[in-house]
Amino acid sequence: MSSKSEQCTIGTAESDLPEDYLSELSETLETDYRAVVGGGVSPSKQADRRGVNTSTVCTNVKRATTKIIQRWRDGQATPHSTDQSKGYDIELVPIGGRNADGSPAAISKWTFETDLVRNRVCDHLSGRVLNACAGRTELPHPNIVRNDINGEMPNLDSQQDVATLRECYQDGAFDAVVFDPPFDLTQAETHYEGIHVSDITAARDELAELVAPGGVLIEFGWSSHSVSSWRGWEPEQMWLFQRGPTVPDVFATVDRKIQRTLL
Ligand SMILES: C[S@@+](CC[C@H](N)C(=O)[O-])C[C@H]1O[C@@H](n2cnc3c(N)ncnc32)[C@H](O)[C@@H]1O
């Protein structure tokens, strides 16, 4: 059982170790990082092996990780699991039933009707916002552009397929882009008259271009996979909406486009 002081362990697979720049660390940092992160050895065991304190090993692993992440942020390295497993919150949100006033506390086909979801999204909005698959729910934000391919949705500013939104808006035009599409074809057929996004990954690529440096892309779906696995983005928040024992959780991710400044 791990003690609290051992919780600097991050990542597990040897193959995830960033060989090309691990070798640039000092020998001690590299040794401890390899043992704890790559080898799955507990910091206290590694400390025993080397005849040092556990806190020394934890500090070394943390320093090595910080250096590696810094190199990744500087665009000099390839992201790997360590980058993606650090520095952001994952919140498990049990969700279901109805509120006292009858409004849904479960995720309905209009995802943001539920205040447990809507409030979380709104906390990450600032500046100019694009709600790319706006649906029926209006997010309470002063500067929001609503797009939906289905012209029956209320108060639309544009009625485009998300895949073609870059024809309407300039790259970097938004400080936040919200992407809540039908998650799959079955959902589209059951709830949205079969209207769907034909290639969610390609659409995400397009929407990512519309985000200004320093802005966020907020995405809902069946998977935790998001733009955070690309260079130039970092994960900020993930929610797992837990709907019950026999239905899949809904994932939502908030990723920030890294702002580069010239020193
Ligand atoms: C999950 S619902 C959005 C719900 C919305 N967030 C809400 O809370 O009301 C998905 C929406 O995506 C729209 N949609 C489906 N395919 C689209 C596409 N290719 N381009 C733009 N919108 C699309 C649907 O019409 C539907 O309104």
Side-chain angles (χ1 to χ4, degrees):
M1 187 118 143
S2 296
S3 70
K4 208 161 188 187
S5 63
E6 290 177 359
Q7 288 183 357
C8 63
T9 309
I10 38 170
T12 48
E14 186 89 52
S15 60
D16 285 335
L17 294 184
E19 289 297 330
D20 53 342
Y21 49 107
L22 253 184
S23 56
E24 288 179 27
L25 300 172
S26 75
E27 202 180 315
T28 328
L29 291 197
E30 187 189 347
T31 306
D32 287 349
Y33 185 91
R34 275 186 191 285
V36 174
V37 177
V41 172
S42 74
S44 58
K45 201 164 197 166
Q46 174 64 6
D48 283 344
R49 280 182 186 172
R50 293 214 301 108
V52 295
N53 291 333
T54 306
S55 63
T56 306
V57 171
C58 282
T59 305
N60 286 347
V61 172
K62 207 168 165 190
R63 281 175 58 200
T65 308
T66 307
K67 286 184 178 207
I68 290 162
I69 289 173
Q70 193 54 52
R71 283 208 53 186
W72 171 56
R73 287 194 174 141
D74 292 346
Q76 296 165 356
T78 316
H80 65 103
S81 66
T82 300
D83 304 319
Q84 294 164 37
S85 61
K86 263 199 68 82
Y88 70 105
D89 291 328
I90 301 178
E91 188 190 6
L92 183 65
V93 188
I95 194 163
R98 290 200 169 264
N99 297 316
D101 64 1
S103 61
I107 295 189
S108 73
K109 69 180 197 172
W110 308 118
T111 326
F112 304 153
E113 267 187 342
T114 311
D115 51 11
L116 282 172
V117 181
R118 189 182 56 255
N119 294 344
R120 280 175 171 74
V121 170
C122 287
D123 281 350
H124 288 266
L125 303 182
S126 63
R128 191 172 186 227
V129 174
L130 169 65
N131 192 356
C133 290
R136 200 174 75 175
T137 318
E138 299 196 38
L139 292 169
H141 183 79
N143 189 358
I144 194 156
V145 171
R146 285 173 53 79
N147 174 76
D148 199 294
I149 200 170
N150 182 349
E152 289 173 12
M153 296 299 119
N155 292 328
L156 295 178
D157 300 290
S158 55
Q159 199 187 321
Q160 296 288 320
D161 187 324
V162 276
T164 62
L165 274 172
R166 279 175 79 199
E167 291 168 16
C168 309
Y169 302 106
Q170 282 193 339
D171 286 358
F174 297 97
D175 302 296
V177 172
V178 180
F179 184 32
D180 177 27
F183 299 170
D184 58 36
L185 211 48
T186 310
Q187 225 192 37
E189 275 158 11
T190 314
H191 298 304
Y192 310 106
E193 303 162 38
I195 303 172
H196 65 282
V197 177
S198 53
D199 183 339
I200 289 198
T201 312
R204 177 196 293 162
D205 279 11
E206 296 296 302
L207 292 176
E209 295 296 333
L210 295 176
V211 178
V216 291
L217 179 60
I218 303 175
E219 183 175 348
F220 281 72
W222 291 137
S223 167
S224 61
H225 195 266
S226 71
V227 283
S228 70
S229 56
W230 302 349
R231 186 174 293 186
W233 288 84
E234 57 189 28
E236 189 161 292
Q237 175 78 56
M238 187 186 296
W239 299 292
L240 260 124
F241 294 101
Q242 192 182 54
R243 300 182 301 154
T246 57
V247 279
D249 295 345
V250 168
F251 286 85
T253 50
V254 182
D255 296 305
R256 193 167 291 279
K257 191 180 255 187
I258 293 167
Q259 178 130 37
R260 294 185 187 280
T261 47
L262 293 174
L263 295 176

